[in-house]
């Protein structure tokens, strides 16, 4: 059985152009972005280290990204298939999505 993980909050690393969620030790889940001229964050690629796949970390990362966007008044445009699918399943976050 795999030990439970206490997930840390998602943060915005503007220098690396990604949202980051530390998992444990040096493991990090992240979602890269590109910010457009209007300020919207286009979510390009989400990644969870292979050793942590299948444990709900991708969903926790997505929720953290969307919660952070809501708290900071950011607008998101999902582009990677994972974030597009997550947003489609979680319509309660429609307020943080751009119309494009």
């Amino acid at each position: 059985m795999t030990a439970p993980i206490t997930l840390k909050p998602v943060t915005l690393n503007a220098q690396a152009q990604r949202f980051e969620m530390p998992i444990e030790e040096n493991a990090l889940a992240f979602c890269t972005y590109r910010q457009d001229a209007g300020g919207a964050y286009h979510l390009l690629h989400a990644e969870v280290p292979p050793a942590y796949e299948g444990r709900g970390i991708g969903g926790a990362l997505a929720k953290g990204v969307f919660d952070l966007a809501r708290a900071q008044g950011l607008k998101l445009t999902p582009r990677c298939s994972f974030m597009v699918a997550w947003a489609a399943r979680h319509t309660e976050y429609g307020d943080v999505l751009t119309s494009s």
Side-chain angles (χ1 to χ4, degrees):
M1 180 169 188
T2 307
I5 297 172
T6 301
L7 297 174
K8 295 166 184 65
V10 170
T11 59
L12 177 63
N13 181 338
Q15 185 174 4
Q17 292 191 319
R18 65 188 190 182
F19 293 91
E20 299 176 338
M21 185 180 71
I23 301 170
E24 51 187 17
E25 296 177 24
N26 294 326
L28 183 72
F30 63 88
C31 181
T32 60
Y33 69 81
R34 176 185 54 80
Q35 195 171 10
D36 67 23
Y41 291 77
H42 293 253
L43 306 178
L44 305 175
H45 173 73
E47 189 170 314
V48 172
Y52 297 93
E53 290 177 356
R55 296 171 70 179
I57 293 172
L61 171 65
K63 182 177 185 327
V65 168
F66 279 71
D67 285 342
L68 179 67
R70 181 178 280 158
Q72 295 188 7
L74 309 177
K75 289 295 184 179
L76 304 176
T77 304
R79 297 286 184 212
C80 82
S81 58
F82 180 82
M83 289 295 191
V84 168
W86 193 91
R89 287 191 313 272
H90 295 87
T91 57
E92 67 273 20
Y93 287 97
D95 60 305
V96 301
L97 295 174
T98 62
S99 57
S100 57

